[in-house]
Amino acid sequence: MKKIILFLAFATVLAACSSVMFTGRRQMKMIPASEMASMAVQSYSSFIDSSALSTNEEYNEMVQTVGANIKRAVEQYMTDNGYKKQLALLDWEFNVIESEEVNAWAMPGGKIAFYTGIMPVCQDENGVAVVMGHEISHVLAGHGNERMTQQLMAQFGSIALSEAIKQKPELTQTIFNTSYAIGAQYGALLPYSRLHEREADRIGQIIMAMAGYDPVHAIALWERMDALSGGDPVPEVLSTHPSNSSRIADMKANLEEARKYLVKD
Ligand SMILES: [Zn+2]
C-alpha cells in the first residue's frame, strides 16, 4: 500500500512538473491550466464590471497598442517553439482602470489591468512596454498556478490535491480569489515571491525586445519607480521588495540576453 501511495505521489508530482519558458526553471503546477484560465475569466470580468474604465484616450491607445505588439510577438514565438497548447488557452484582454494607485497586474489567460496612476511613471510606449512585459511574463511563466499549487499543497498534500480540485470547485475558486485578493480589494495581488518577480523582470525584458522595444528602457522605468517607492499600498510591480537597486542591477545584467531578441526594422 505504501509503495502504491509513494508511486502515486511520485506520478502526480512528475505530471505536474514543467519548465518555465525562456528561463528553463523547473516548477510545479498542479492546477489544470484550463481551470486557471476559466477562474480568471470569472474574476476578471467581475472586476471590470465593478470598475471605472479610463476614458483617457491617450492611455487607452498606448496600452492597447503595446499590448497588441507584445501579444503578436509572443504568439509568434510560442507558435515557432512548441507552445501551441499553452497558446490556445490565452485570451488576451487589456484594460486601463481609473485609479490613482501606481499599479498594474495580470491574471492567468492574459487578463491585464493597468491603473491610470501608473501611466505617468510609464511616460510613453516604452515605459508601458516594460510594465506590460513584466505582467505578461507572470502569465507566460504560470506564476499564479505555481503560487496556488503551493497554497493547495499546504492544505491537501499532493495526492489529495487533484481530487480536491475536481470535487471542490468552490474551494478552488475561493483560493484563487484569495490569491488574487478578489472581493476584498480588487487587484491588490498577494505579493509574488522575489523569485517570481525577478523571473518576470527577466522574461519581461525579453518579450518587450521581441516586440521591438529596447529593453534598456526597463532601467529608466525602475529608476522612476524607485523615486516613488515608500508609498502605500504597495503596487504589484513593487511588491516583493527586492531592493530597487538590486533590481536595477539585474535589469542591466539582463540587457545583453534580452537584446538578442530585439527586432530591428
Ligand atoms: Zn510582478
Side-chain angles (χ1 to χ4, degrees), residues 134 138 197 236:
H134 175 94
H138 281 308
E197 285 308 317
E236 189 282 316

Side-chain angles (χ1 to χ4, degrees), residues 195-220:
L195 175 80
H196 284 175
E197 285 308 317
R198 292 184 65 177
E199 191 165 71
D201 283 344
R202 179 176 161 197
I203 300 172
Q205 280 183 289
I206 291 173
I207 62 178
M208 72 183 284
M210 290 191 323
Y213 300 103
D214 191 330
V216 75
H217 295 292
I219 296 157

Side-chain angles (χ1 to χ4, degrees), residues 104 134-135 138 189 192 196-197 200-201 236-239 247:
H134 175 94
E135 296 306 331
H138 281 308
L189 292 178
Y192 282 106
H196 284 175
E197 285 308 317
D201 283 344
E236 189 282 316
V237 277
L238 289 171
S239 62
R247 204 164 188 176

Side-chain angles (χ1 to χ4, degrees), residues 124-264:
D124 55 18
E125 258 194 55
N126 288 312
V128 171
V130 176
V131 175
M132 185 71 81
H134 175 94
E135 296 306 331
I136 289 179
S137 298
H138 281 308
V139 175
L140 297 180
H143 288 161
N145 196 336
E146 194 178 3
R147 184 174 59 179
M148 228 180 121
T149 296
Q150 285 158 2
Q151 290 173 323
L152 285 165
M153 291 264 277
Q155 204 156 341
F156 298 106
S158 62
I159 303 172
L161 179 54
S162 55
E163 280 309 302
I165 292 166
K166 270 185 239 150
Q167 289 168 16
K168 299 180 185 170
E170 303 85 11
L171 181 64
T172 314
Q173 178 80 47
T174 302
I175 295 177
F176 179 91
N177 289 350
T178 311
S179 182
Y180 284 91
I182 298 300
Q185 191 186 0
Y186 276 126
L189 292 178
L190 283 191
Y192 282 106
S193 66
R194 184 171 173 168
L195 175 80
H196 284 175
E197 285 308 317
R198 292 184 65 177
E199 191 165 71
D201 283 344
R202 179 176 161 197
I203 300 172
Q205 280 183 289
I206 291 173
I207 62 178
M208 72 183 284
M210 290 191 323
Y213 300 103
D214 191 330
V216 75
H217 295 292
I219 296 157
L221 179 109
W222 281 101
E223 284 166 351
R224 294 197 293 276
M225 283 284 192
D226 187 38
L228 276 180
S229 61
D232 200 44
V234 180
E236 189 282 316
V237 277
L238 289 171
S239 62
T240 44
H241 319 283
S243 74
N244 286 330
S245 59
S246 82
R247 204 164 188 176
I248 291 164
D250 285 344
M251 298 272 181
K252 287 179 182 165
N254 293 342
L255 205 52
E256 197 188 332
E257 177 195 30
R259 274 192 163 152
K260 287 183 189 144
Y261 293 86
L262 190 61
V263 281
K264 297 199 180 72

